[in-house]
Amino acid sequence: MTVFNNSALYPQFLLTGFQGLEAKYSLISLPICLIYIISIAGNITILFIIRTEPSLHQPMYYFLSMLALADLGLSTVTLPTMVSVFWFHARDISFAACAVQMYFIHVFSITESAILLAMAFDRVVAIREPLRYSAILTNNIIIRIGLASAGRALILLFPVPVLLKRLQFQNITTLSYPFCLHQDLIKLTVSSPRISSIYGLIVVISSTGVDSVLLLLSYILILVTVLSVASKTERAKALNTCISHICAVLILYIPMIGLSIISRFGQNVSPVLHVLMADVYLLVPPLMNPIVYSVKTKQIRLCILKKFIKQKG
């Protein structure tokens, strides 16, 4: 097969679903579509409830609405190729479309990580400085945090498609997943991906790597503060406000770490498991975050029930 030279044309990529299960794609597509429907409906519901309920116009819920927006973005950017592969068995994707999808998948993932860090900061302030909570987390500060979260991801990832454009691929390159990920693309190049690989590592360390360390430090501060409280009831109450956030952090980071491990060390693992892990990484956080916050956060749960009862009445 000839090698593609990026200075002239662009290669075609072939997306990959579950190898060997092509005959069952119509069946596999049902739970995938159901996940997308629940994810989009759940995050829109969270946004609607926070927007229309004055009692939820607080920093904690503003950050939650940012998380819902990031989840909606992640679902929206992966949906077209997933539907294309599993519904229509259409695997072709151009270099430009692949680069755009890859860029926004990673932008929304990194933005979500930053928002979770912002939510941890919110909990630190609420528990350590309850009397100054409103003075510290003003609307202006919240807007700046939100813009910084998205801006960091957009700026950090901007060079990634440019560096990919300089690489050489075969005329037709078969990807490992039903969507485009940076680690997959650089693995399939026929030219040296050294610069792209190093820059990708810099992006990971300076985004999710830094975020994870700061998240850990945030919870150390929270634990130190909570353990200094004499009353067991007050301890339980303070920790209970963090449960939803801890779940959201685990929902994002466990699949992310799992995909990284299996991509690097799982050469002998079934390709089906690779695709399944990648699907979990991109599909589970948008699905589970609204469910977790609806179930675990009393204020949101009550507001949803109130809206439902009102509509039913």
Side-chain angles (χ1 to χ4, degrees), residues 46-62 139 299-300 302-304 306-307 310:
I46 291 289
L47 288 169
F48 175 75
I49 292 294
I50 294 172
R51 173 69 179 84
T52 58
E53 194 61 44
S55 64
L56 299 181
H57 293 175
Q58 301 174 32
M60 173 183 172
Y61 302 108
Y62 290 145
N139 288 343
Q299 292 89 332
I300 291 180
L302 292 176
C303 288
I304 291 173
K306 188 172 76 172
K307 295 283 184 185
K310 185 179 178 181

Side-chain angles (χ1 to χ4, degrees), residues 167 182 185-187 189-199:
L167 299 177
H182 181 255
L185 288 169
I186 61 172
K187 186 172 65 177
T189 180
V190 295
S191 57
S192 174
R194 183 178 178 83
I195 296 175
S196 287
S197 183
I198 291 172
Y199 186 75

